[in-house]
Amino acid sequence: YLWRIARFTVLQALLSMLLSVGLAIPLARALHAQQNFPGRAMILRLFALPLALPALVAVLGITSIYGRSGLFSVTAAWLALDMQPDIYGLTGILIAHVFFNLPLATRLILSSLDSISEDYWKLASQLGMTGWTQFKLIEWPVILRNISGVAGLIFMLCMTSFTVVLTLGGGPRATTIEVAIYQSLHFDFDIARAVSLTLLQLCLTVAILILLSLAGRPTEEGFSVRTTARRFEDPPLRQRIWNVTLILLGFLFVALPMAGTVVAGLAADLARLLSEPAVWRAIGTSLVLGAAAAALSLVISLSLVMARESLATRRRHASAGLFERALDLGASLIMVVPPIVIGAGWFILSRHFVDPFSLAPFMVVCVNAAMAIPFAFRILRPSWDTAASCHNRLCEQLGITGWNRLRIIDWPALRYPLSIAFAFAMALSLGDLGTIALFGNDSILTLPYLLLQRMGSYRTDDAAGLALILGLLCLALMAIADR
C-alpha cells in the first residue's frame, strides 16, 4: 500500500513537471521572439494569476472546460462526435498541474531569455543564424542554467499538491501521500498510519531535494532582470506563424478555465455580494494579512540572498561551503511540508498553552510568508547577485556602506524585483486556503475562507462571485507591481 501510493505520488509529480517545463520552453521562446505581439503584456500578467488562485476555484474552472458536461464535451456533442472526456484520475491531475505550473515556468524561462545581451542577437543577425542555430548556441545555454531550479520548484509543488488530487484523483488508484494522510485522519482516524505516511513524505521530499541540489546550482533569473531585448533578425513568415500559434494555444489553455470562472462569477449577484459587510470585512482581512505575509517573506528572502552572496564573495574561487549550500537549499526546504500540515502542527502544539484560534492572524501570516519564500528568493537573488558583482569593489574603494549604499546603489537595482516579489507573495497569501481552513472563524474571515463557507452551504453562485473578486484582486496586484 505504501509503495503504491509513494510510486503514484512521484509519478504524477514527474509527469506534471516534464509536461510543464517541456511546453514552457517553446512558449517562452515564442513570447521572446514576438516582442510586439498584441496583448503580450496582458498575457504575461494573466500567467501570474493561476498560482494565486485557490486550487478549488481553479479546479472548478478546469472541469467547466474539460469535464463531462464542459465546453469540450458540449462542442463535441454539437458536432455529433462521440467524445466523452474523463477529467478524473491521472489525466485530470496532469491537466490541472500543467494549468498551474506552465505559466510559472514560462515566465521564469522568458525572464532568463530577456537577460541575453543585445550584442548576441546583433552578432547572430550578422552571421545569418537560423532559428535552430540560435536556440542551440544562444538560448539553450541560458535556459539550461535556469531549468534545474524551475523543474525542481514545479516538481516540489506537484509533490505537495493536495486539493487537486483530492478533487480530481478519482479514487484509490490515484491517491498521493497527502490525500492518504487526510483519509487516515478524517475517515479512519488511524493515527499510526497517518504518522507513517507523514514520515514517508518527509523522507521522500528531503531525498528529492538533495538529488536536485546535486544537479548543480541554478541561476534563476526569476522576474527580476529587467532588460529590453532587441532582436535584429527578421524571422521568416513560417516561424512567425508558428510563434503566434504557440502563444494563442498557451493563452487559450490558461484563459479558458479562468473564463469559465468569470462567466460563473458574472452570473452571480455581485451587487448583493458587494453590499454585504462580511464580504468587505473578508476583503480587508485578506489584504492586511496578505501584505503582512508578503513583507515578512521579503525580509527573510532578502536576508537569505544577502547572506549567500556575502559567503560566495568571501570564498572567491573556492568551492561553496556547507552553510552556503544550506542557504540555497533552505529557500526550498519549506516546500517539503504543505501549509495545511504546518498549520496542523502549530495548532496541535499551541493548544496546550493558549487558544489556537486567538493566534489565527499570527499563524496565517507566518505560514503564508514561509510558503512564499521559494518564489521571493528566486525573484530577488539574480538582481542582488548582479548588483553586488558590479558594485561591491567600487563601494569598498569609495567607502560607501550601510544606509547610503542601500539608498544610492542597491535600491535602484532592487526596486523592481522587490515590487514583483511583494506582489507575488501577497497574491499567494490571498489565495491560500490550507492555513485559514484550520484557524479561520467568524472573527478572522478571509476571502478564501468565506468562499469555502459558501460552497459548504451549497451557495455556489455566491462562491463563483467571490472567486471572481479574488481573481481580480490578484490580477490588479500584479498589474500595479509591474507599473
Side-chain angles (χ1 to χ4, degrees), residues 76-342:
W78 183 72
L79 296 174
L81 298 176
D82 186 14
M83 186 180 71
Q84 288 293 329
D86 187 7
I87 195 66
Y88 298 100
L90 181 60
T91 303
I93 293 172
L94 295 179
I95 291 175
H97 281 167
V98 174
F99 167 78
F100 281 115
N101 297 312
L102 174 63
L104 173 65
T106 300
R107 284 186 59 122
L108 289 169
I109 295 173
L110 176 62
S111 60
S112 66
L113 293 175
D114 285 343
S115 69
I116 297 175
S117 172
E118 186 178 294
D119 293 336
Y120 287 110
W121 298 118
K122 184 182 296 184
L123 186 60
S125 178
Q126 291 171 347
L127 296 176
M129 287 186 180
T130 60
W132 169 250
T133 308
Q134 287 179 359
F135 173 74
K136 178 182 176 182
L137 299 179
I138 299 177
E139 296 172 328
W140 177 242
V142 177
I143 294 174
L144 190 61
R145 293 203 309 267
N146 190 30
I147 202 167
S148 62
V150 175
L153 176 64
I154 292 175
F155 187 85
M156 295 307 298
L157 285 173
C158 297
M159 277 285 294
T160 56
S161 175
F162 173 73
T163 306
V164 168
V165 181
L166 183 67
T167 52
L168 297 176
R173 295 183 61 185
T175 300
T176 59
I177 298 176
E178 271 192 63
V179 176
I181 294 171
Y182 168 77
Q183 291 170 346
S184 298
L185 290 175
H186 190 73
F187 296 109
D188 305 329
F189 203 70
D190 190 341
I191 303 297
R193 183 194 292 178
V195 171
S196 301
L197 290 167
T198 302
L199 292 175
L200 174 63
Q201 184 189 28
L202 288 174
C203 293
L204 194 61
T205 48
V206 168
I208 291 170
L209 276 176
I210 293 174
L211 290 175
L212 290 173
S213 67
L214 296 177
R217 183 174 66 87
T219 58
E220 306 94 328
E221 278 74 9
F223 310 125
S224 53
V225 181
R226 194 178 196 186
T227 59
T228 302
R230 183 183 175 191
R231 303 285 289 263
F232 292 88
E233 83 284 359
D234 187 16
L237 179 61
R238 184 176 62 180
Q239 184 65 36
R240 291 199 299 270
I241 293 175
W242 172 249
N243 290 336
V244 171
T245 303
L246 283 177
I247 294 173
L248 291 178
L249 288 176
F251 168 74
L252 289 175
F253 180 76
V254 176
L256 282 178
M258 293 185 182
T261 303
V262 170
V263 170
L266 292 176
D269 193 351
L270 291 176
R272 179 182 57 79
L273 277 176
L274 293 175
S275 65
E276 295 183 15
V279 174
W280 285 106
R281 184 157 58 90
I283 293 175
T285 304
S286 296
L287 291 176
V288 170
L289 294 180
L296 180 60
S297 174
L298 255 62
V299 170
I300 298 174
S301 301
L302 192 57
S303 301
L304 289 172
V305 168
M306 293 169 66
R308 193 207 64 80
E309 186 274 329
S310 177
L311 290 173
T313 302
R314 289 178 184 177
R315 66 177 169 84
R316 298 186 182 275
H317 300 292
S319 59
L322 179 62
F323 185 54
E324 183 182 342
R325 291 197 298 267
L327 290 174
D328 266 333
L329 186 63
S332 300
L333 198 60
I334 192 65
M335 301 184 67
V336 169
V337 185
I340 193 169
V341 176
I342 300 176

Side-chain angles (χ1 to χ4, degrees), residues 367-383:
V367 175
N368 288 346
M371 298 309 297
I373 286 175
F375 302 94
F377 182 84
R378 284 167 171 79
I379 293 170
L380 295 175
R381 192 179 78 176
S383 287

Side-chain angles (χ1 to χ4, degrees), residues 19-69:
L19 286 172
S20 300
V21 176
L23 295 173
I25 291 175
L27 180 56
R29 290 188 68 231
L31 285 167
H32 182 258
Q34 303 297 134
Q35 296 282 334
N36 298 321
F37 184 79
R40 180 179 182 272
M42 181 54 67
I43 290 176
L44 293 178
R45 292 193 189 104
L46 179 73
F47 278 10
L49 196 57
L51 273 177
L53 287 177
L56 188 58
V57 176
V59 166
L60 293 177
I62 290 170
T63 54
S64 70
I65 302 299
Y66 305 102
R68 294 176 181 174
S69 58

